[in-house]
Amino acid sequence: MAQFPRPSVVGHTVRRFVFFLLVILTSLIALGLLVSVFQPNGFSPMELLLLFLYMILFAWICISFWTAFMGFWVILFGRDRWAISRQPPDIPPDSATSPPRTAILMPIYNEDSERVFAGLRAIHQSLMDTGQLDGFDFFILSDTRDPEVWVEEELRWQDMVWSLDGKERIFYRNRPENTSRKSGNLEDFCTRWGGRYRYMIVLDADSVMQGQTLVEMVRLMERHPRVALIQTPPVPVNRESLFARILQFASSLYGRMFTAGLNYWQLGESNYWGHNAIIRIQPFLDHCGLPKLPGHEPFGGEILSHDFVEAALLRRAGWEVWLAYDLEGSYEEIPPTLIDYAKRDRRWCQGNLQHLRLAFAQGFNLLSRLHFLMGVMSYAASPLWLLFLIATGVEAFIQTQQELVYFFGENWMPVWPVSFAVEMTTVLLVTLTMLFLPKLLALLLLLKEKRLRRAYGGMFKASLSVTLETVFSVLTAPVLMLFQTKFVLAILMRRAVGWPPQQRGDHQTGFVEAVLTHGGHTLIGVAAGTLSYLYVPAFFWWFTPVLLGLGLSIPVSMLSSSIALGRQARRMGLFLTPEETDPPKVLQDLDEYLQEDEPVLPVLRKTASSRFLQALTDPYVNTLHRSLLPESESPSKRRRHYLEGLIHQLEEEGPDSLSSMQKRELIANPETLLRLHALFWSQPPLNNDGMLLENRRAG
Amino acid sequence: MDLGKVGALRSHWTTPADSLSDENCLDRLRNYWKALGVSDSNLALALSEQTLRRLPEIPENEDSKTAHAIIAAGELLDDWLATALELPRPSPELTAARAALLSGVTPDWPTALFAPPGAAGTALERLRAAIAKPAPAPSPSAMPTQRIALFSLLGLLRRWWPTSINA
């Protein structure tokens, strides 16, 4: 349990009471309006289904709306006395205690090494600028399986150590087996070196954090010993495609309001988003060893979205988890295209759906259960919306088939049908308000601060950007709805997802890729549009935003992936973010390191066609790689035979005949690696390293 | 540079090179030493001959004699490095030291390694400083697996059942 449990604070309870009261009241009012429409003629099964779906979906929207509203309120008045950054220290600073050591962890998996190490160097430089670098160590925790990337990482690490004089401060290791993926990677760090550090700051491969922010995170942890985890809100940056720039703008402008709102009601029972967070290592060790869930994938087995579960386990043990929404200088990068965004969703979807089982497990706090359910709803909402739209269409069709009867029984006066247009319009308006008002509120907040207003390109440009972003989100929402519905259904049908690495760099969507991905969406849009136009014409016009999104999905996906359009929009002052208008030094450094990639290590200055071959042929790369291999037992006889076979295959058929995994196996064994090196150098000399093996294959 | 030191570090290396007749092998070895950073042709030749003398000590495998000799060259280098830097052998530190040596941080490494005692201080210090340490000393901690009791209707009934019977 936490050493310094805090007694419950009345103010916290009041905040949560107010928040949930507003959510429940708003949901009930909207539901009441819809019931009043359906009730007079009794409830048909279809109407009951519509009511049920509307209740869930509206409650979901309400949580989001009131979170944004609370965030608006907090930022507007600037008086959040319970923000973790504004709370007085729980204990007076103890000068006798040794200064904390913090490990900055970057778990990576087949990532672009150049970008990973440029990011780390920028963070390192930023920390050095604070003068507090001595309190931090850097760990590159590689789970990379691709042998080319593996060797490249090692060289980049060595280069970073050299150029930054980072011996004994910048460390690298590649796990022989990537058991339990990212959570296993972190667990491996904690169990090996956890005892050396009081805190760890977990990054993602595309994370960038300012040194001052890192120092502040440590300071906050020191002041509040009951806190086990502080999450910072990462702001998306650095992408140039139109799609990514629109998302960066939206996340930046609306995000700060939403995170302030989340902190308003979550307080010390906040959540963990997996990166850009500081964690107290001892409670993490004590309480966050993740079990395997009973049963098979997709709902059983390893816990995929480990971050939510770790936060819940820390809360279960009495520790506090905070979202430091007002800490700036925390950045991440987002997928550059709509298709990449959907692919990322595919990976996250299974992990979040798995949480459905955990939401009802014993011992978790009420808010932790809500976090689990919100995670589930972030994907389950899509099939529910789709079902709702279909049910609405069917209900509208049924209504058109009914003949109106004006005379009942003995009545000689006609009984005019009652119109519920007012109620229905109110329901629609309330729903739309809930969806779009937060965008307006975020815009209004710009009026408060001149600095921010300028950073977003001025009030006019910011307003125009919000309008265009709204149109874009309306167009893409139906596409994402279909994507996520497909993912949810695939997972329910027990089709597990793999662990593909993300394609993070800017790149454009081609016509073939767009047609293959969105062809189905377009067809569905055309079919739904035709059916509704023919059979329920009144419904068709209400349905047009969804139909347009689906019908235009191919051009929207292609155009939004355009880097040229993204840059053009930037030149026009559209979708600007403060990080674009006035980039912080850490981002400028990152950009500089990426532009002027001038490694100190001679071997990195030369272009190599294959790092794998270089590991076999180049005496330095070969030795460096061997020096970084973990000590292991001598392979079994069977294993030796297997490796022997791979050596012969490489000799006779060339490197292209081997799979990536086979290449990895060859260079993961020090003896094999040395033998291959010796075999290469025992052959007649060639001018170009690696040509021998490549030539042999060609022959 | 003290060329004599090449063969003088360990007395048993002075065994006559019975395979010097194998010109191809010697050529490959000389190339290999050059690839390791030995630019002086005479020194490369001397080192190659020394390698061949060392050959009988290296456990044989099914590969060619030349491949075997390439491995012996590395072993020879490790011997000198272990002596110069006082490192245990074999050890990961020694492999890391060899990597540092080959990285280019001490371009004149043959001069430093075969210099008379006390004459190669700076170069060896530079080499020591360049030895990579991929991970700090371990400080292991336990991370017990947590128990998460998932919701189960049967479990709920089991808990409820005895209470209701007693009631």
Side-chain angles (χ1 to χ4, degrees):
Chain A
M1 292 294 281
Q3 275 178 299
F4 309 94
R6 189 226 290 258
S8 61
V9 179
V10 178
H12 290 194
T13 316
V14 170
R15 273 191 177 189
R16 285 176 187 147
F17 178 76
V18 169
F19 176 79
F20 286 108
L21 188 69
L22 286 169
V23 169
I24 292 166
L25 278 180
T26 325
S27 304
L28 286 177
I29 289 169
L31 193 68
L33 281 170
L34 204 59
V35 167
S36 70
V37 174
F38 291 149
Q39 201 176 21
N41 299 325
F43 295 107
S44 71
M46 191 56 79
E47 286 168 344
L48 282 174
L49 175 69
L50 276 171
L51 277 176
F52 175 71
L53 291 172
Y54 186 74
M55 188 176 68
I56 297 173
L57 292 168
F58 194 79
W60 175 236
I61 296 173
C62 269
I63 290 179
S64 177
F65 171 78
W66 285 113
T67 299
F69 187 82
M70 292 307 175
F72 170 74
W73 190 263
V74 164
I75 294 175
L76 187 65
F77 294 104
R79 283 198 298 262
D80 188 1
R81 55 185 288 215
W82 283 306
I84 187 67
S85 57
R86 296 194 187 180
Q87 290 181 31
D90 299 332
I91 51 162
D94 183 2
S95 55
T97 318
S98 59
R101 287 207 63 74
T102 304
I104 297 178
L105 311 182
M106 185 168 275
I108 51 175
Y109 173 77
N110 293 348
E111 309 285 350
D112 172 6
S113 306
E114 194 184 333
R115 166 61 187 83
V116 165
F117 284 88
L120 277 172
R121 287 168 84 119
I123 297 170
H124 188 278
Q125 180 60 47
S126 187
L127 254 179
M128 200 151 76
D129 292 344
T130 67
Q132 304 206 35
L133 182 63
D134 287 347
F136 296 85
D137 283 346
F138 289 74
F139 282 80
I140 298 110
L141 304 174
S142 169
D143 256 353
T144 293
R145 302 294 96 186
D146 184 331
E148 297 285 348
V149 185
W150 183 14
V151 178
E152 177 80 16
E153 284 170 5
E154 292 174 338
L155 293 171
R156 293 270 169 195
W157 164 73
Q158 180 67 98
D159 186 65
M160 188 174 167
V161 172
W162 272 23
S163 55
L164 301 179
D165 195 15
K167 195 177 165 184
E168 311 257 358
R169 191 173 59 249
I170 304 169
F171 302 111
Y172 173 89
R173 77 99 176 82
N174 180 276
R175 271 202 306 169
E177 302 290 335
N178 57 350
T179 320
S180 298
R181 309 179 194 193
K182 189 175 172 184
S183 63
N185 198 353
L186 292 177
E187 184 176 330
D188 181 73
F189 164 82
C190 288
T191 51
R192 279 172 195 264
W193 300 292
R196 290 172 59 92
Y197 302 96
R198 198 178 300 167
Y199 308 116
M200 58 181 179
I201 293 175
V202 182
L203 304 177
D204 212 2
D206 53 18
S207 296
V208 180
M209 292 192 79
Q210 273 181 4
Q212 198 51 53
T213 311
L214 299 170
V215 171
E216 181 62 14
M217 287 161 88
V218 174
R219 191 185 71 86
L220 287 176
M221 292 296 266
E222 286 287 280
R223 284 161 63 98
H224 303 291
R226 58 193 154 73
V227 175
L229 192 152
I230 298 178
Q231 172 70 56
T232 62
V235 176
V237 291
N238 281 351
R239 292 273 82 94
E240 291 194 286
S241 69
L242 184 64
F243 174 83
R245 288 202 61 245
I246 292 175
L247 246 65
Q248 280 171 188
F249 170 77
S251 300
S252 175
L253 185 64
Y254 317 143
R256 67 190 194 111
M257 196 174 70
F258 274 98
T259 50
L262 283 175
N263 183 68
Y264 178 87
W265 59 274
Q266 296 182 355
L267 298 154
E269 296 188 43
S270 191
N271 207 351
Y272 171 36
W273 302 341
H275 57 92
N276 294 36
I278 186 167
I279 299 173
R280 197 179 294 276
I281 291 186
Q282 195 53 54
F284 191 81
L285 277 166
D286 293 341
H287 307 292
C288 294
L290 294 180
K292 278 192 177 173
L293 297 181
H296 299 289
E297 284 199 23
F299 291 107
E302 286 170 4
I303 293 175
L304 297 178
S305 292
H306 56 97
D307 37 15
F308 281 40
V309 185
E310 285 156 354
L313 288 169
L314 287 170
R315 287 294 309 132
R316 189 174 79 170
W319 290 87
E320 292 184 11
V321 175
W322 283 85
L323 170 64
Y325 70 91
D326 49 352
L327 271 193
E328 294 180 348
S330 172
Y331 309 105
E332 65 174 345
E333 289 171 1
I334 50 172
T337 69
L338 180 61
I339 294 174
D340 290 318
Y341 189 83
K343 282 180 187 166
R344 189 182 70 172
D345 265 356
R346 176 73 176 94
R347 293 191 308 123
W348 287 358
C349 183
Q350 185 176 339
N352 280 28
L353 291 188
Q354 212 182 26
H355 289 170
L356 195 56
R357 296 182 78 187
L358 297 167
F360 303 102
Q362 292 171 29
F364 287 126
N365 294 42
L366 204 60
L367 277 193
S368 297
R369 294 180 196 283
L370 190 61
H371 292 315
F372 285 138
L373 289 175
M374 284 168 72
V376 173
M377 266 308 281
S378 55
Y379 291 99
S382 283
L384 293 180
W385 272 117
L386 184 63
L387 199 59
F388 182 76
L389 285 174
I390 294 170
T392 313
V394 172
E395 175 66 12
F397 176 72
I398 293 169
Q399 293 294 331
T400 58
Q401 301 303 304
Q402 289 177 350
E403 283 183 25
L404 291 175
V405 180
Y406 297 94
F407 298 95
F408 294 97
E410 304 287 314
N411 286 342
W412 58 273
M413 289 286 286
V415 180
W416 300 106
V418 182
S419 168
F420 294 101
V422 176
E423 286 84 348
M424 281 307 286
T425 310
T426 312
V427 169
L428 187 70
L429 283 179
V430 169
T431 311
L432 290 177
T433 305
M434 291 275 172
L435 285 171
F436 295 112
L437 187 60
K439 293 174 193 274
L440 197 63
L441 294 179
L443 203 55
L444 285 177
L445 280 177
L446 290 187
L447 291 172
K448 194 187 161 209
E449 263 187 87
K450 193 179 174 189
R451 178 186 65 87
L452 269 182
R453 216 161 44 238
R454 285 168 67 178
Y456 284 100
M459 207 57 204
F460 175 71
K461 294 279 175 65
S463 307
L464 188 58
S465 300
V466 166
T467 310
L468 292 173
E469 186 276 331
T470 306
V471 173
F472 184 73
S473 64
V474 167
L475 285 176
T476 49
V479 180
L480 287 172
M481 176 182 73
L482 288 191
F483 267 132
Q484 292 176 349
T485 303
K486 185 177 147 192
F487 300 156
V488 172
L489 290 178
I491 290 162
L492 289 177
M493 289 159 78
R494 299 191 174 271
R495 285 193 206 148
V497 294
W499 194 28
Q502 293 182 56
Q503 192 166 2
R504 298 180 195 261
D506 275 317
H507 63 98
Q508 291 186 219
T509 304
F511 179 70
V512 176
E513 186 186 10
V515 169
L516 287 174
T517 313
H518 299 294
H521 301 152
T522 312
L523 285 177
I524 291 173
V526 170
T530 312
L531 283 174
S532 61
Y533 188 76
L534 290 177
Y535 296 103
V536 208
F539 181 65
F540 173 81
W541 297 108
W542 288 103
F543 205 35
T544 43
V546 177
L547 297 175
L548 264 180
L550 295 175
L552 297 176
S553 56
I554 293 174
V556 165
S557 183
M558 284 177 67
L559 287 173
S560 66
S561 74
S562 163
I563 296 164
L565 281 179
R567 286 179 181 157
Q568 179 63 31
R570 185 171 175 171
R571 278 194 291 275
M572 291 165 70
L574 293 174
F575 311 119
L576 283 180
T577 62
E579 288 72 25
E580 285 179 336
T581 315
D582 183 17
K585 186 170 175 298
V586 72
L587 294 182
Q588 288 179 33
D589 284 348
L590 169 64
D591 191 44
E592 190 187 318
Y593 297 145
L594 285 170
Q595 299 290 331
E596 301 164 14
D597 182 30
E598 287 178 4
V600 181
L601 210 58
V603 72
L604 272 177
R605 289 203 213 114
K606 288 180 279 181
T607 331
S609 61
S610 162
R611 293 284 181 217
F612 163 72
L613 286 183
Q614 229 175 358
L616 303 183
T617 59
D618 186 293
Y620 166 62
V621 182
N622 180 277
T623 316
L624 177 73
H625 182 72
R626 274 194 298 120
S627 75
L628 297 179
L629 289 176
E631 288 183 74
S632 57
E633 289 176 10
S634 190
S636 64
K637 195 173 174 183
R638 190 173 158 186
R639 178 86 186 151
R640 278 204 304 275
H641 281 303
Y642 170 70
L643 291 172
E644 192 72 30
L646 290 183
I647 291 174
H648 289 312
Q649 188 179 338
L650 178 66
E651 274 193 297
E652 287 161 15
E653 295 170 37
D656 288 349
S657 71
L658 297 171
S659 69
S660 185
M661 186 49 75
Q662 287 171 327
K663 286 179 186 172
R664 185 188 158 85
E665 285 175 312
L666 277 179
I667 62 168
N669 181 276
E671 287 163 24
T672 316
L673 193 60
L674 189 59
R675 268 192 68 196
L676 280 167
H677 183 65
L679 281 171
F680 172 79
W681 282 97
S682 66
Q683 301 298 314
L686 286 169
N687 292 331
N688 193 355
D689 285 2
M691 282 299 287
L692 177 77
L693 295 164
E694 282 166 4
N695 285 355
R696 281 190 172 186
R697 184 188 165 269
Chain B
M1 186 190 313
D2 181 3
L3 278 178
K5 202 177 172 191
V6 172
L9 282 172
R10 300 261 297 265
S11 59
H12 57 263
W13 290 349
T14 53
T15 49
D18 53 0
S19 328
L20 285 180
S21 57
D22 191 340
E23 283 301 317
N24 274 348
C25 181
L26 202 61
D27 263 1
R28 306 279 189 280
L29 268 175
R30 207 164 44 190
N31 283 335
Y32 187 61
W33 280 110
K34 279 181 184 168
L36 295 185
V38 181
S39 49
D40 182 334
S41 298
N42 291 334
L43 180 62
L45 183 64
L47 290 170
S48 305
E49 289 171 357
Q50 182 64 29
T51 307
L52 289 176
R53 285 190 201 99
R54 174 78 197 274
L55 206 52
E57 287 180 31
I58 310 294
E60 283 199 40
N61 60 20
E62 63 193 65
D63 297 332
S64 69
K65 180 187 168 188
T66 316
H68 195 202
I70 297 292
I71 291 176
E75 293 280 315
L76 204 57
L77 191 57
D78 279 354
D79 278 340
W80 293 321
L81 270 174
T83 311
L85 299 176
E86 296 170 357
L87 291 172
R89 109 165 286 253
S91 67
E93 292 83 3
L94 188 60
T95 320
R98 200 209 290 193
L101 185 85
L102 301 176
S103 65
V105 71
T106 46
D108 53 344
W109 70 259
T111 318
L113 214 57
F114 307 130
T122 321
L124 285 182
E125 276 315 306
R126 212 162 55 226
L127 183 60
R128 267 198 197 94
I131 296 174
K133 203 172 176 192
S139 180
S141 307
M143 193 165 178
T145 303
Q146 301 301 304
R147 190 169 175 277
I148 297 178
L150 296 175
F151 174 78
S152 139
L153 197 59
L154 199 63
L156 199 71
L157 284 174
R158 276 198 194 126
R159 275 204 304 281
W160 171 79
W161 189 251
T163 325
S164 61
I165 287 175
N166 293 337

